[in-house]
Amino acid sequence: MIYLAFALWMGIGAGVVGRIKGSSFFIWFVIGAVLPGLGLLAAAFYRSDRDEVRRQCPTCGRIVKLHDAMCMSCGTDLEFPEVGIEPESAALQRR
Ligand SMILES: [Zn+2]
C-alpha cells in the first residue's frame, strides 16, 4: 500500500515535469508510476520540443523542426538550412 502511494506520487511528479516540458501529462504519469524514480528522472532529462531550433518550410510556410528532413505538412524535402528560427523556449523568455 505504501509502495502504491509512492508510485502514484512519482507518477504525478513525472507527469507534471513532462507537462511543463510540453509533453503529455498522462504518458509521463504512466512512466513515472511504472518506473518510480526512473520515470521522474527520464521526464527531467527528456529533451523538450520547445528547445528545438525551428525553421520555416519554403513551400507552405509551416514552422518545422530544424532536424526534420521533410515537411510534415506538405511533404517538401528540406535542405539543411543556413539559418534557423530560435527555439520556442527562447522566444517565450524574451516576452
Ligand atoms: Zn511545407
Side-chain angles (χ1 to χ4, degrees):
M1 196 61 206
I2 287 171
Y3 176 80
L4 209 70
F6 175 73
L8 202 68
W9 274 109
M10 281 299 182
I12 291 168
V16 168
V17 172
R19 188 74 202 88
I20 289 168
K21 297 202 172 198
S23 190
S24 161
F25 174 87
F26 184 70
I27 287 170
W28 285 106
F29 172 78
V30 171
I31 294 170
V34 172
L35 302 165
L38 260 179
L40 187 61
L41 268 177
F45 285 104
Y46 169 72
R47 197 181 162 150
S48 172
D49 266 3
R50 289 183 188 160
D51 290 336
E52 296 282 345
V53 178
R54 298 168 297 160
R55 58 159 146 186
Q56 197 168 27
C57 171
T59 308
C60 68
R62 188 189 152 104
I63 303 291
V64 296
K65 301 283 187 267
L66 186 72
H67 57 71
D68 283 350
M70 197 182 84
C71 177
M72 291 296 166
S73 183
C74 66
T76 303
D77 280 329
L78 301 168
E79 304 281 324
F80 199 83
E82 283 164 23
V83 289
I85 302 170
E86 65 186 346
E88 199 180 340
S89 56
L92 285 171
Q93 275 164 19
R94 265 211 320 272
R95 256 180 233 154

